Amino acid sequence: MTQLLEDCAKRLKLSQLRSHIAELTADQIQFLEQLFTREIEHREATKLNLLLKQAQLPQSGHEPFNWQHVQLAKTLSKEDLWDGQFISEKENLILYGGVGTGKTYLSRCIALNAITKFGHKVRFYTIAGLVNQLIDANQKGQLNKLMNQIDKLDLLILDELGYIPLGKEGAELLFQVISMCYEKRSVIITTNLQFGQWNHVFGNQILTEAVIDRLIHHSHLIIFTGESYRYRNSSIRK
């Protein structure tokens, strides 16, 4: 058995092939190598498409991310983001800055890289969207099902914290999600609020402190400065 055929057989879990290899001709071996290689490529493409579909990433452009107005924490480098190091370490990212400064776009870029290069399971939610799903699932007795889906992720992205208050039930359910993720998977939070203002979202000081405590224990802060990209390119300003 050639090394290529052996590697393909392992990946396709065809261990019984070893016992029949001596019966095959060189042409048959070459044919199997080509067949197995195409099958592996097909499976990988199918898996990638499924991961991308499950991630529910927002639609956006494909231009490279502009780091001009971004300040990384000293504990973090661009390479750490692209090679998925923070995901391997189950660390969190807090992306803080004004509206339209690129927080969501960077989180999407990180997610795409994590999926396409490393096969990580990722899910993108707006805070409001996730809270609505949590409340609906709780009312229908299906909360455990939704929690189990989140529990299987490598990276959870929670976008737009700070735009609307969550209400008591929503805040408590979101706290359950963040607690479940603590030290088990990475979370990316995008927000336009400083930590001292998060109480306006959760509506309870004790709950707010508990959320922040779990998020910042293993986290890196990324600060976005500058003006809104949409405003900068708006027809009104022009």
Side-chain angles (χ1 to χ4, degrees):
M1 181 185 294
T2 66
Q3 187 61 49
L4 174 59
L5 189 57
E6 183 175 358
D7 292 341
C8 289
K10 286 182 179 179
R11 295 183 64 176
L12 295 173
K13 299 179 180 180
L14 299 173
S15 57
Q16 294 181 348
L17 182 64
R18 292 173 177 269
S19 60
H20 301 285
I21 190 63
E23 305 170 8
L24 301 177
T25 66
D27 289 341
Q28 289 173 329
I29 290 176
Q30 184 179 17
F31 171 77
L32 287 178
E33 287 177 344
Q34 295 173 349
L35 179 65
F36 291 170
T37 298
R38 287 197 294 269
E39 176 62 20
I40 289 172
E41 291 173 349
H42 173 71
R43 293 188 183 187
E44 289 180 343
T46 300
K47 179 182 178 182
L48 176 60
N49 289 333
L50 181 60
L51 289 173
L52 289 170
K53 182 178 180 180
Q54 291 176 339
Q56 295 291 293
L57 300 178
Q59 297 297 317
S60 187
H62 300 284
E63 62 271 14
F65 183 76
N66 186 350
W67 295 93
Q68 183 178 358
H69 299 291
V70 179
Q71 300 174 11
L72 295 178
K74 294 181 179 180
T75 56
L76 190 69
S77 68
K78 298 175 185 177
E79 290 72 24
D80 293 330
L81 299 178
W82 301 140
D83 67 14
Q85 181 64 30
F86 78 98
I87 300 176
S88 300
E89 299 292 336
K90 297 178 175 57
E91 296 173 336
N92 305 321
L93 301 179
I94 310 296
L95 278 55
Y96 165 71
V99 175
T101 51
K103 304 183 298 298
T104 298
Y105 189 63
L106 178 57
S107 69
R108 179 182 182 274
C109 291
I110 293 171
L112 276 174
N113 197 69
I115 293 169
T116 57
K117 289 190 176 180
F118 305 104
H120 286 311
K121 296 179 180 178
V122 180
R123 184 64 162 88
F124 180 101
Y125 293 97
T126 63
I127 292 285
L130 176 57
V131 166
N132 287 337
Q133 288 191 38
L134 289 167
I135 292 175
D136 185 61
N138 193 37
Q139 292 174 349
K140 295 179 178 178
Q142 299 174 350
L143 183 61
N144 286 340
K145 180 180 179 180
L146 180 54
M147 288 293 196
N148 288 336
Q149 292 174 356
I150 296 174
D151 197 35
K152 296 176 182 177
L153 300 175
D154 300 302
L155 173 62
L156 173 65
I157 301 176
L158 300 176
D159 193 42
E160 298 182 347
L161 187 146
Y163 288 82
I164 58 172
L166 301 179
K168 183 177 185 297
E169 182 182 7
E172 291 175 350
L173 289 170
L174 183 59
F175 171 70
Q176 288 185 41
V177 171
I178 292 172
S179 295
M180 182 179 68
C181 292
Y182 177 61
E183 295 188 327
K184 291 182 63 179
R185 66 193 48 80
S186 294
V187 178
I188 295 179
I189 296 276
T190 76
T191 181
N192 62 340
L193 297 180
Q194 299 179 5
F195 290 128
Q197 299 173 302
W198 283 24
N199 185 47
H200 299 305
V201 177
F202 290 93
N204 180 298
Q205 187 62 40
I206 296 176
L207 186 63
T208 302
E209 292 176 357
V211 169
I212 294 174
D213 182 65
R214 283 160 176 77
L215 285 175
I216 68 173
H217 185 203
H218 307 290
S219 70
H220 306 277
L221 179 64
I222 302 177
I223 299 176
F224 292 70
T225 59
E227 61 185 358
S228 166
Y229 173 83
R230 288 180 287 272
Y231 172 71
R232 193 165 62 244
N233 292 275
S234 68
S235 57
I236 293 178
R237 181 174 179 180
K238 294 176 182 178

